[in-house]
């Protein structure tokens, strides 16, 4: 039987594996169907992780994590997890192909991914002027104009954040009304650096070999087109968390989740199910930053160690 199963091999999962094995848990298995590293491996540049002074790609950044985390005995099971369930005090890890494993405790950190808007040019320039994280990439557009697409809390909050860095933020939303908190909407409307464009949609993201060069929008009321010359567009049209494997045969979730499927945890990364912990982007109120995911993973591992010692 596995002492601790870790579902997901991103920064949260790898850090959890490092702390768990180095903390004395003997049989720790990380389930990740591909090579560990997570969503961050797709980033072209990382320059905001404390202690890493050089600008590196996501792939380069995560390579030493794997080497370090497996040094202390973490085992990688390259299998797809189809369901996580619990029978009595034991967790059942169901795998593709019909195989299953039993575990005494589970740290769930399968991550998530921002939704794409399915725009013309989006796939071509993804990561080359198209971003879904203002905290990560906003600094690259210091004193420049950018476009923000979206109308929810995240889009408006990120527009405000970008307004502190960029010379102008064009906020594009398909409706006249925003879906954000009233206080956030008021903050946006009072910000002189945010140019609200509603109702409007993005028709095309244009660019060349160097990346994005402009964003073509259509004003819905007048049906007119406007080409905004910018080198960056930030898209906030939703986020998918990878919690489908927690859905049970009866349709319920193994643990308590919010309306968007994110796992509810306390400050110790504990769920409402004893022995089940969640870390990283799958949890509620996740900052979606590598350094935060790593902290979550460490916290979850320390709590898992305490849980197993008590058991």
């Amino acid at each position: 039987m596995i002492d601790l199963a870790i579902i997901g091999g991103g920064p949260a999962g790898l850090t959890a594996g490092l702390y768990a094995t180095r903390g004395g848990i003997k049989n720790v298995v990380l389930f990740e169907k591909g090579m560990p590293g997570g969503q961050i491996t797709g980033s072209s540049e990382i320059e905001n992780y404390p202690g890493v002074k050089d600008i590196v790609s996501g792939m380069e950044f995560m390579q030493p994590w794997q080497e370090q985390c497996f040094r202390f005995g973490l085992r990688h099971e390259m299998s797809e997890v189809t369901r996580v369930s619990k029978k009595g005090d034991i967790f059942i890890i169901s795998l593709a192909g019909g195989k299953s494993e039993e575990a005494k405790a589970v740290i769930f950190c399968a991550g998530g991914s921002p939704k794409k808007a399915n725009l013309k040019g989006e796939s071509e320039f993804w990561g080359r002027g198209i971003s879904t994280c203002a905290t990560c990439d906003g600094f690259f557009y210091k004193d420049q104009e950018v476009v923000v697409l979206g109308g929810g809390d995240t889009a408006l909050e990120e527009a405000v954040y970008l307004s502190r860095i960029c010379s102008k933020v064009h906020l594009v939303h398909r409706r006249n009304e925003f879906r954000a908190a009233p206080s956030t909407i008021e903050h946006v409307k009072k910000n002189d650096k945010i140019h609200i464009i509603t109702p409007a949609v993005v028709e095309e993201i244009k660019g060349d070999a160097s990346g994005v060069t402009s964003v073509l929008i259509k004003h819905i009321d007048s049906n007119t087109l406007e080409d905004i010359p910018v080198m960056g567009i930030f898209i906030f049209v939703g986020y998918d968390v990878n919690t489908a494997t927690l859905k049970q045969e009866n349709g319920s979730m193994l643990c308590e989740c919010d309306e968007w499927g994110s796992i509810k945890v306390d400050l110790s990364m504990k769920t409402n199910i004893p022995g089940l912990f969640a870390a990283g982007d799958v949890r509620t109120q996740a900052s979606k930053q590598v350094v935060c995911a790593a902290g979550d993973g460490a916290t979850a591992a320390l709590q898992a160690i305490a849980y197993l010692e008590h058991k």
Side-chain angles (χ1 to χ4, degrees):
M1 181 184 294
I2 297 170
D3 289 322
L4 176 64
I6 299 172
I7 315 299
L14 286 169
T15 305
L18 171 63
Y19 271 71
T21 51
R22 196 169 180 273
I25 303 180
K26 299 299 182 184
N27 190 8
V28 184
V29 179
L30 182 146
F31 291 90
E32 174 62 68
K33 63 180 178 180
M35 288 303 296
Q39 186 185 163
I40 194 65
T41 56
S43 296
S44 58
E45 292 182 336
I46 297 174
E47 65 173 10
N48 63 343
Y49 195 88
V52 180
K53 63 182 181 63
D54 297 323
I55 299 175
V56 296
S57 70
M59 193 68 73
E60 292 171 317
F61 176 72
M62 292 307 301
Q63 182 57 43
W65 287 51
Q66 299 176 31
E67 297 173 7
Q68 181 186 24
C69 295
F70 289 115
R71 184 188 307 160
F72 296 96
L74 176 64
R75 182 160 56 91
H76 176 204
E77 179 73 30
M78 198 175 288
S79 301
E80 180 183 359
V81 175
T82 57
R83 178 175 291 142
V84 180
S85 54
K86 193 176 186 185
K87 186 176 181 180
D89 288 337
I90 303 301
F91 291 92
I92 311 299
I93 314 298
S94 301
L95 306 172
K99 182 183 175 183
S100 66
E101 299 276 3
E102 294 184 343
K104 297 176 183 177
V106 171
I107 297 177
F108 193 88
C109 37
S113 57
K115 290 182 180 178
K116 291 190 175 182
N118 297 318
L119 303 170
K120 185 178 180 181
E122 186 176 22
S123 297
E124 183 180 356
F125 298 108
W126 191 264
R128 297 194 301 123
I130 301 176
S131 175
T132 56
C133 179
T135 311
C136 310
D137 301 326
F139 185 78
F140 297 126
Y141 305 98
K142 183 177 175 62
D143 298 326
Q144 298 181 34
E145 294 189 19
V146 296
V147 169
V148 169
L149 176 63
D153 283 294
T154 300
L156 271 63
E157 288 166 5
E158 298 285 60
V160 171
Y161 177 88
L162 287 166
S163 71
R164 304 187 190 110
I165 302 170
C166 304
S167 61
K168 191 172 186 178
V169 178
H170 302 274
L171 178 60
V172 180
H173 182 46
R174 66 182 183 274
R175 299 188 182 95
N176 282 316
E177 301 80 19
F178 292 106
R179 295 173 285 105
S183 58
T184 305
I185 296 172
E186 184 180 1
H187 194 181
V188 166
K189 289 182 176 179
K190 288 182 177 180
N191 193 318
D192 293 336
K193 294 176 72 176
I194 298 177
H195 175 215
I196 298 174
I197 306 175
T198 60
V201 294
V202 172
E203 285 284 287
E204 182 182 356
I205 300 172
K206 299 179 179 181
D208 54 25
S210 63
V212 172
T213 57
S214 70
V215 174
L216 181 66
I217 67 165
K218 182 173 76 173
H219 296 272
I220 296 175
D221 288 345
S222 62
N223 208 34
T224 57
L225 297 175
E226 179 184 1
D227 200 32
I228 304 176
V230 292
M231 296 177 66
I233 174 172
F234 291 80
I235 298 175
F236 304 107
V237 293
Y239 194 87
D240 291 322
V241 287
N242 299 327
T243 52
T245 52
L246 295 178
K247 183 172 286 189
Q248 307 301 289
E249 291 184 357
N250 64 2
S252 66
M253 299 297 283
L254 175 60
C255 61
E256 190 176 359
C257 299
D258 66 12
E259 58 187 302
W260 297 284
S262 299
I263 301 170
K264 293 185 177 182
V265 296
D266 62 13
L267 292 176
S268 299
M269 303 303 132
K270 294 177 182 176
T271 69
N272 66 316
I273 302 297
L276 177 64
F277 308 86
D281 290 1
V282 292
R283 73 169 178 88
T284 54
Q285 298 183 325
S287 299
K288 298 176 178 62
Q289 299 293 305
V290 176
V291 67
C292 299
D296 283 2
T299 300
L302 293 173
Q303 292 300 317
I305 292 171
Y307 171 80
L308 291 170
E309 286 179 348
H310 177 73
K311 294 292 286 185

